[in-house]
Amino acid sequence: MEAGVLSVDLQGASVHRLGGRLQVRDAEGVVRAEVPAFKLHAVWLFGGVEVTNAVLRLALSEGPVLHFLTRQGRHRGCVGPEPGHRAALRVRQYRHLSRSRTRVPFAREIVRAKLKTQLERVRAWSRNRKIGMADVIEFLLAALDLLDAETTVDGLLGLEGTATRKYFEGYGRLFTFDFGFRGRNRRPPRDPVNALLSLGYTLLYTEVLSAVLLAGLDPYIGGLHAVKDGRCSLALDLMEPFRWIVDELVLARMNLATFTTKDFRQDVDGAVFLQPAALPRFVAVFGERLAAPLALRSAGSPTVRQALRTVARGVRGVMLHPERPLAEVLQPSAGAQP
């Protein structure tokens, strides 16, 4: 059975441990949910939700990983297993991702995997929706051709950023309704599409971060994203090839009117966020996508959650055995194992 996620957004609620179960109680002490802990690999806690000391101890010893988010969906931090017995692995990770001769190829393969998935999605959208995307396809192909010529991480980041801006230019053509989307913006998002993209990326980030922690890797030491205090750079690296999952989910749900402009609010500074009442609906559809096959029409495809764990374990294998090609690890269906 695949472990899942418990999401708690009821303000004033608290999470308790009763033996091998986690119990959610509202502010009056009424039990709202109860789940066996072994069925969970993560818990999402939105806003003013408290956890008991017993739950914290469980998270630190064996999981699930607790993720603390604001009511708007911004990730504030997490508590998860601290694999002290993985010290040797982490030393190898630090060496691999701090030396230019190994860090740059690592970063290059992350960008290559991301651009390939963007190209695949754009081609599929163009074919299925009969919308012209020739300019975007040509741009992404050119960016892929230039990857091997880039010899610095900064150069790779610049190439990835330019290609992604073009990708979102094409993405904006796909919406049935005008939601004011004119490209990617964040911190804060300025339109409903960007609000859902930001929230979806945050939830995806928590999944990748959980997978990285459970694999025994240090989430703060990445290859593409530079080391920065408080930033889980490796988790950000590994989510790059999977961002399309959020893009596709948001596109589908907005075009199906699962979410409309009434589900969003705008602050005085122009920031747009999902209404609190609509948050559980998005969390639910995102959770369904995590449990669905990565390739929806491919028999035997791993679920999204399984794929993320496979990639994290595969990266662990690359840290221990640097001769292993990262490109294969970033293809979950290949079943890379440590």
Side-chain angles (χ1 to χ4, degrees), residues 211 302 305-315 329 331-338:
R305 184 174 286 121
Q306 289 169 341
L308 295 176
R309 292 184 190 177
T310 297
V311 167
R313 291 194 301 268
V315 170
V329 167
Q331 300 176 33
S333 59
Q337 294 294 329

Side-chain angles (χ1 to χ4, degrees), residues 119 122 126 131-143 162-163 165-171 173:
L119 179 61
V122 169
S126 177
I131 294 175
M133 291 281 200
D135 58 322
V136 182
I137 292 171
E138 182 180 355
F139 198 98
L140 291 173
L141 284 170
T162 302
R165 281 192 292 275
K166 187 66 177 181
Y167 164 81
F168 276 116
E169 179 187 316
Y171 181 73
R173 303 170 193 171

Side-chain angles (χ1 to χ4, degrees), residues 177-183 185 190-194:
F177 309 101
D178 184 4
F179 295 104
F181 181 81
R182 301 295 181 267
N185 59 65
R190 300 288 179 176
D191 58 78
V193 172
N194 273 297

Side-chain angles (χ1 to χ4, degrees), residues 56-267:
L56 288 171
R57 289 199 304 271
L58 178 65
L60 285 167
S61 63
E62 59 190 82
V65 179
L66 308 179
H67 292 279
F68 297 87
L69 304 99
T70 66
R71 293 190 71 182
Q72 290 76 33
R74 186 172 182 181
H75 193 260
R76 306 303 295 177
C78 69
V79 176
E82 181 59 33
H85 61 289
R86 296 288 188 181
L89 166 63
R90 292 192 171 194
V91 168
R92 294 195 180 197
Q93 179 187 349
Y94 302 152
R95 289 175 179 169
H96 193 92
L97 297 178
S98 62
R99 296 172 176 172
S100 180
R101 62 184 175 84
T102 45
R103 181 189 173 192
V104 172
F106 181 94
R108 182 182 293 115
E109 292 309 318
I110 294 289
V111 175
R112 194 190 314 276
K114 178 178 182 176
L115 296 188
K116 281 185 174 181
T117 59
Q118 288 180 337
L119 179 61
E120 289 168 2
R121 298 327 306 151
V122 169
R123 281 174 165 164
W125 291 331
S126 177
R127 181 174 60 252
N128 297 336
R129 299 168 186 269
K130 311 300 182 186
I131 294 175
M133 291 281 200
D135 58 322
V136 182
I137 292 171
E138 182 180 355
F139 198 98
L140 291 173
L141 284 170
L144 281 165
D145 286 341
L146 292 172
L147 267 182
D148 289 325
E150 290 292 348
T151 58
T152 66
V153 173
D154 285 344
L156 291 167
L157 282 169
L159 186 60
E160 180 272 331
T162 302
T164 296
R165 281 192 292 275
K166 187 66 177 181
Y167 164 81
F168 276 116
E169 179 187 316
Y171 181 73
R173 303 170 193 171
L174 301 167
F175 289 92
T176 305
F177 309 101
D178 184 4
F179 295 104
F181 181 81
R182 301 295 181 267
R184 183 77 178 108
N185 59 65
R186 60 195 181 98
R187 296 182 183 176
R190 300 288 179 176
D191 58 78
V193 172
N194 273 297
L196 281 192
L197 287 174
S198 290
L199 177 57
Y201 291 150
T202 297
L203 297 181
L204 177 63
Y205 167 80
T206 69
E207 283 290 309
V208 178
L209 179 54
S210 295
V212 167
L213 288 170
L214 294 172
L217 294 161
D218 187 331
Y220 293 95
I221 309 299
L224 179 63
H225 293 82
V227 174
K228 181 179 179 182
D229 287 348
R231 181 168 73 182
C232 294
S233 296
L234 183 61
L236 291 172
D237 284 357
L238 300 189
M239 72 178 279
E240 291 295 345
F242 295 93
R243 285 180 180 264
W244 66 270
I245 294 166
V246 176
D247 303 341
E248 197 159 70
L249 179 67
V250 170
L251 175 65
R253 292 298 176 169
M254 295 298 273
N255 281 348
L256 289 170
T258 304
F259 300 94
T260 68
T261 53
K262 295 179 180 179
D263 291 312
F264 299 85
R265 61 180 177 82
Q266 187 172 42
D267 288 351

